[in-house]
Amino acid sequence: MIEAHELSKLYDDFLAVDRVNLDVPAGTVLALLGPNGAGKTTTVRMLTSILAPSAGSARVAGYDVVKYPEKVRASVGVLPEQHGLYERMKAVEYLDFFGRVYRLSAIERKQRSLNLMERFGLTFALGKKLGEYSKGMKQKLALVRAMLHDPPVLLLDEPTSAMDPQSAKLVRDAIIELQRDQRTFLITTHNLSEAQSLANRIAIIRHGRIIANGSFSELARRFVGEQIMELRVRGILNGFAGDLAHAFAGKLNIGDSGDDWVQYSVAEPNETNPQVIRHAVGSGVDVVSLAPISRTLEDIYLQVVKEDEAQGGAAREHLR
Amino acid sequence: MNTSAKSLDIDPIPLEATAASGGLFHTLSNAMIITRREVRDSFRDWRIIGPIVILTFLFPFLAQFVAARFATYLEGFGAQIIGERTIPFLLMIVGFFPISISLVIALETFVGEKERRSLEPLLSTPLSNTELYIGKTLAAMLPPLISSYGGMAVYLLSLLTGDLAWRPQLWLVVQIILITTVQALVMVTGAVVVSSQATSTRAANLLASFIIIPMALIIQGESAIMFLAPDAESPTGIGALWAIIGGMLIVVILLLRVGNSIFNREELLGRTLDTINLKAMLRHILQSIRAVDEQGTPARSLLDWYRRGVTLSVTRLRLALPITLVIFLAAFIGGVLIGQLPSWQMDLPRGLPIRSVAGDIQFYTGMVFGESNPVLAIAWQNGRILLGATILAVFTFGSGALILTPPVYVILGYVFAQLINAGYDPSFMLPAVLTHGIIEIPVIVLATAAALRLGAVVTRLPSGLTLGGAWTQALGDTIKIGIGIIVPGLILAAAVEAYITPQVVRLMLGG
């Protein structure tokens, strides 16, 4: 649904996007993460055929972004960084206007506006002027506008920013539902926990370049190492950690430990963990719990950025 | 607030229904969607609707009242004519005041929306750049123009129903309506150009003086014409006003082209700062001067630069060159035709021996260009006209280049016609003109074409280039052609003209 090949954007002497490659199949949510000024918005604008690439190519919903800009824009729903509503208009007029722009029939405009407004809990505000909307309501209405023409691809910039937790959940649920319906999403966000919960794929962009791309588990394995498990027992371990290291040599590595707990990293948790439990029980250790130490997208993100810096990201920034 | 996970319950829409499919009707239909919204939005703003109502319904009565009092007062001094000419002048003012709002609306419509960040959702829709441009231009023009026509109608009605015996000439009223319309068009199309280069209303307002000042001068000129024109009472309207309408229409066409060319997503969203990066600009110009291909590869040697670099720049004149040639040819034919008009014919002495003139040609060359260094004098004479044409072209979207250089060919055609009329064989002119002209004429054509492109490139941006990129490339090409062909060509042609042409003329004609 979204394919980018060596996509680049040069402004005068500033390389905003540097040979970006993306492959986002239908029904995928891609979270594009990166610091401010990394090139996220420029990438999204190129994928929306708003900006022309300086080099490389991209296809969105099967259409080349340079050759068929109107068809690309008809196939995408965009939520830009700023919601950009017309404050003197009422919501119903606003959606009717965008419906006309997308060539929806009068019935379609009305039905879809009502359904989406209801979906996001905004029915009560249909007749209100947009200047009277709260920040979160404006954000939701901007999402309704992006979804109005039922696009197969949605490019959303900070979709839940300024929303209360309840509204944010509504939006996340809608994204999940649409994803099940084979819609493709590209979400740019600084909310890493949201990205982790929604995205099947994560791409991290820095200085215009994609420095990491893959699923959460792929990135975790690559950047923060093997899964770390924590075994908690009743009573005192009494040398059990050493025993474990000896019994499972090559399969796990013992990390930190305390009186009643031990941590180990493991390459194949599905295979090794049951054996560890059996071994503990067999050794007379009362197992209270065995749980993975949670690794967040934030850990991965920080590690990716740290490694990129170490590899000369700063030097690249200077060269751009 | 509803938090239940309801189904999105929406029917899929076939993609083709949402994608633009081209065609004039389709374009206008899409543009009108924008226009309707913008007009409705404008009418919701009391800062726009207030002045429009006052200027449409109240100001015309005030103007009519002033005109009547003024006419009566002047009648007492026997200056009735001034009073009468004030009446159409005030009609023009009544029409102009509302359209002055169009500038405000246009700046607000384009830059205001950019500043409020409401442009991006619109730019993300399938609407084409042209549809957006037409839609917004119409939206900025229609309310003030309707108010202007309304105001003029109210003024004329109050005149017809009032005490004044004066009745307007039909064509003068038509002229004033046309002037009002083209002025609104100039202001709005100019505002679009200004808006696309500004990122804030503040910057746009500063740049708007490039529209307001010329427009104020035009209004003053038109006012003077309405009072002083000898044909002010003509039933076919005032000639000078027709000329102004025609001139402004050309400006509108050029501005429309520039506007449509630079009103694109890349320019609107690519530009984030109103700062000038002189260093980058100079680097681009230098790159363009040194480039030998479209990728900007610098020349390996002087020979390579001439062979590929200069050729590349000349190739980019493929549209400007034929236009220049046609204009020059038209100028020459125009000169011949003017020379045929009885009122323009000169009373040349007949039957003079051409030989005696031929003998004097070097004397006259020396007299005009000086004896000491005629080559540089001749080259500078041609060079300064071409330099002037190039500078003028930059500010006139290229048209200045086609105004300053063709008069030479008009004169040549005119002289040619006079010689035929006086019974001379004009072929004697050939050695006098073509000996150096074989170098000079192509050089002048090339220089004019380069100047035309330099000015006109903003009206038709090459694919993939921004306004700045296209202009710096055109400037680089102009400099390249100037250094590579024009300057050496002019010096060579001047040397031939100073030393060889007189010999050839003497040889061929004797003397």
Side-chain angles (χ1 to χ4, degrees):
Chain A
M1 270 291 163
I2 303 174
E3 299 158 60
H5 178 68
E6 301 285 296
L7 198 64
S8 304
K9 183 69 186 175
L10 184 71
Y11 290 114
D12 293 331
D13 50 354
F14 177 73
L15 191 57
V17 174
D18 184 9
R19 288 164 290 155
V20 160
N21 291 297
L22 291 172
D23 186 6
V24 192
T28 304
V29 177
L30 171 80
L32 185 62
L33 313 176
N36 293 327
K40 301 189 293 288
T41 304
T42 306
T43 304
V44 168
R45 283 177 177 172
M46 283 193 283
L47 294 175
T48 326
S49 289
I50 290 180
L51 297 179
S54 307
S57 61
R59 290 170 75 83
V60 174
Y63 297 109
D64 187 291
V65 294
V66 176
K67 286 183 191 159
Y68 305 104
E70 272 107 16
K71 291 201 171 179
V72 166
R73 286 194 293 268
S75 318
V76 297
V78 181
L79 175 73
E81 198 178 352
Q82 311 268 340
H83 47 70
L85 305 177
Y86 298 119
E87 309 244 314
R88 280 197 286 263
M89 287 181 106
K90 291 173 185 169
V92 65
E93 295 167 342
Y94 183 76
L95 294 175
D96 185 69
F97 165 69
F98 273 94
R100 281 174 195 271
V101 167
Y102 284 104
R103 290 274 155 201
L104 304 185
S105 70
I107 297 168
E108 281 170 335
R109 293 199 297 272
K110 196 174 173 188
Q111 273 184 355
R112 298 175 63 78
S113 299
L114 285 173
N115 285 340
L116 286 165
M117 290 295 271
E118 195 186 348
R119 175 72 178 84
F120 289 105
L122 287 173
T123 315
F124 74 98
L126 261 167
K128 261 189 168 184
K129 288 222 171 113
L130 304 187
E132 296 166 19
Y133 271 43
S134 71
K135 235 174 167 181
M137 285 164 76
K138 283 179 181 171
Q139 183 75 357
K140 280 195 280 183
L141 184 69
L143 258 170
V144 169
R145 177 196 63 214
M147 293 174 176
L148 189 64
H149 57 297
D150 192 25
V153 177
L154 285 123
L155 308 171
L156 313 178
D157 196 340
E158 295 285 357
T160 59
S161 71
M163 282 187 196
D164 57 70
Q166 205 177 16
S167 301
K169 187 176 180 315
L170 271 178
V171 171
R172 283 197 294 271
D173 288 347
I175 291 173
I176 291 165
E177 200 177 313
L178 285 166
Q179 182 201 359
R180 280 194 209 117
D181 204 17
Q182 290 301 294
R183 300 293 191 282
T184 308
F185 286 84
L186 191 155
I187 298 172
T188 61
T189 182
H190 292 299
N191 184 339
L192 298 180
S193 63
E194 184 171 277
Q196 188 178 344
S197 70
L198 283 174
N200 325 71
R201 295 192 70 80
I202 293 151
I204 300 173
I205 187 168
R206 190 161 181 263
H207 305 320
R209 283 180 59 247
I210 299 279
I211 52 173
N213 191 357
S215 67
F216 177 81
S217 52
E218 281 167 0
L219 293 182
R221 202 174 305 130
R222 191 173 142 205
F223 291 98
V224 289
E226 293 169 343
Q227 178 68 61
I228 295 173
M229 303 299 300
E230 185 177 273
L231 179 74
R232 286 197 168 267
V233 301
R234 198 170 65 176
I236 307 294
L237 277 170
N238 263 344
F240 179 69
D243 178 33
L244 208 57
H246 180 71
F248 292 93
K251 286 187 172 178
L252 56 78
N253 292 304
I254 299 295
D256 295 339
S257 61
D259 286 347
D260 61 349
W261 61 273
V262 60
Q263 288 182 354
Y264 62 85
S265 62
V266 58
E268 299 292 341
N270 290 348
E271 187 193 319
T272 312
N273 285 346
Q275 293 173 6
V276 169
I277 292 173
R278 277 199 295 273
H279 181 77
V281 171
S283 307
V285 175
D286 289 339
V287 175
V288 174
S289 67
L290 178 65
I293 295 289
S294 110
R295 290 173 304 173
T296 62
L297 184 54
E298 188 176 330
D299 300 327
I300 297 169
Y301 177 85
L302 293 174
Q303 184 61 28
V304 169
V305 170
K306 195 173 152 189
E307 284 187 20
D308 184 60
E309 260 171 14
Q311 285 167 13
R316 278 198 302 276
E317 166 74 350
H318 179 71
L319 285 171
R320 279 209 300 167
Chain B
M1 202 174 278
N2 189 350
T3 56
S4 65
K6 282 185 184 151
S7 160
L8 285 176
D9 192 23
I10 40 185
D11 301 322
I13 294 160
L15 181 60
E16 296 309 318
T18 57
S21 61
L24 183 65
F25 176 77
H26 189 89
T27 300
L28 285 176
S29 157
N30 279 348
M32 285 312 291
I33 299 172
I34 304 289
T35 305
R36 269 196 297 272
R37 193 209 76 77
E38 304 265 350
V39 169
R40 192 186 286 184
D41 215 36
S42 290
F43 280 135
R44 279 183 176 152
D45 191 342
W46 67 268
R47 290 164 301 182
I48 292 173
I49 198 74
I52 281 181
V53 168
I54 292 167
L55 293 170
T56 308
F57 298 108
L58 300 181
F59 184 69
F61 284 112
L62 183 68
Q64 191 273 336
F65 175 78
V66 171
R69 293 290 163 277
F70 196 55
T72 315
Y73 174 74
L74 289 170
E75 212 175 323
F77 294 92
Q80 198 174 348
I81 190 170
I82 300 175
E84 282 181 357
R85 289 190 182 180
T86 308
I87 297 167
F89 163 72
L90 282 174
L91 176 66
M92 187 177 77
I93 297 300
V94 162
F96 178 73
F97 279 3
I99 61 157
S100 62
I101 299 170
S102 64
L103 186 66
V104 180
I105 300 179
L107 292 176
E108 162 65 20
T109 304
F110 294 101
V111 193
E113 192 159 350
K114 205 175 349 176
E115 205 169 34
R116 285 190 300 274
R117 306 291 182 99
S118 54
L119 202 55
E120 190 164 353
L122 202 56
L123 298 182
S124 309
T125 65
L127 293 174
S128 69
N129 291 332
T130 305
E131 287 161 357
L132 286 169
Y133 175 65
I134 294 173
K136 284 186 162 285
T137 303
L138 283 177
M141 270 190 62
L142 286 179
L145 213 50
I146 290 166
S147 165
S148 170
Y149 294 153
M152 286 194 283
V154 170
Y155 179 75
L156 286 172
L157 274 175
S158 63
L159 265 183
L160 293 172
T161 54
D163 304 331
L164 284 171
W166 183 88
R167 291 291 176 266
Q169 295 280 357
L170 175 67
W171 279 106
L172 186 58
V173 173
V174 171
Q175 278 190 316
I176 292 171
I177 291 170
L178 286 176
I179 279 179
T180 306
T181 311
V182 289
Q183 278 168 345
L185 271 166
V186 167
M187 285 197 285
V188 171
T189 50
V192 179
V193 174
V194 162
S195 300
S196 66
Q197 298 307 299
T199 57
S200 66
T201 314
R202 176 180 152 270
N205 283 332
L206 289 170
L207 286 170
S209 40
F210 284 106
I211 304 163
I212 295 163
I213 293 169
M215 199 50 72
L217 292 173
I218 288 168
I219 291 282
Q220 286 172 38
E222 287 164 357
S223 308
I225 288 166
M226 291 178 91
F227 277 101
L228 305 173
D231 55 348
E233 307 291 334
S234 164
T236 55
I238 302 171
L241 289 186
W242 285 124
I244 288 175
I245 292 168
M248 287 215 286
L249 264 178
I250 292 170
V251 173
V252 167
I253 292 164
L254 288 169
L255 283 172
L256 274 171
R257 280 200 65 103
V258 176
N260 194 32
S261 162
I262 62 178
F263 187 81
N264 61 63
R265 287 161 163 88
E266 189 83 27
E267 286 285 336
L268 291 168
L269 284 183
R271 183 179 293 273
T272 52
L273 290 169
D274 287 324
T275 51
I276 294 175
N277 189 347
L278 274 177
K279 212 169 140 188
M281 203 190 285
L282 279 174
R283 192 164 54 244
H284 282 153
I285 295 167
L286 281 174
Q287 268 172 3
S288 181
I289 293 171
R290 293 170 61 198
V292 293
D293 56 27
E294 295 290 352
Q295 285 70 45
T297 314
R300 289 190 301 265
S301 62
L302 187 64
L303 186 68
D304 186 40
W305 182 77
Y306 253 107
R307 204 169 52 83
R308 295 200 293 152
V310 177
T311 309
L312 173 75
S313 297
V314 174
T315 315
R316 287 182 180 145
L317 302 179
R318 57 186 168 268
L319 188 62
L321 270 171
I323 293 173
T324 308
L325 275 171
V326 167
I327 295 284
F328 280 11
L329 201 63
F332 182 80
I333 294 168
V336 173
L337 292 176
I338 292 168
Q340 302 297 332
L341 297 173
S343 57
W344 283 84
Q345 281 182 9
M346 291 168 80
D347 190 21
L348 287 180
R350 289 163 190 267
L352 281 178
I354 296 297
R355 287 171 181 235
S356 66
V357 180
D360 294 336
I361 200 159
Q362 195 156 20
F363 167 74
Y364 289 122
T365 306
M367 198 174 79
V368 174
F369 296 109
E371 292 287 351
S372 59
N373 207 339
V375 175
L376 283 181
I378 296 169
W380 172 236
Q381 166 68 15
N382 290 326
R384 68 183 176 180
I385 292 172
L386 295 176
L387 188 65
T390 307
I391 293 167
L392 193 65
V394 173
F395 299 101
T396 55
F397 308 118
S399 57
L402 299 177
I403 291 169
L404 217 57
T405 43
V408 177
Y409 299 93
V410 178
I411 295 167
L412 210 59
Y414 177 74
V415 171
F416 190 78
Q418 297 315 302
L419 290 170
I420 293 171
N421 291 341
Y424 295 103
D425 176 6
S427 64
F428 86 91
M429 283 175 73
L430 293 178
V433 174
L434 285 187
T435 308
H436 59 277
I438 209 151
I439 303 163
E440 194 180 84
I441 293 171
V443 165
I444 290 174
V445 169
L446 209 55
T448 307
L452 171 65
R453 175 172 171 249
L454 180 63
V457 73
V458 295
T459 67
R460 193 168 179 265
L461 296 183
S463 152
L465 285 182
T466 61
L467 180 72
W471 197 77
T472 47
Q473 186 195 65
L475 181 62
D477 284 337
T478 307
I479 295 170
K480 204 195 283 185
I481 293 169
I483 297 170
I485 301 176
I486 311 297
V487 173
L490 285 178
I491 292 171
L492 185 64
V496 173
E497 187 174 350
Y499 301 117
I500 300 174
T501 299
Q503 308 303 332
V504 173
V505 172
R506 196 177 295 139
L507 200 72
M508 290 188 72
L509 303 175

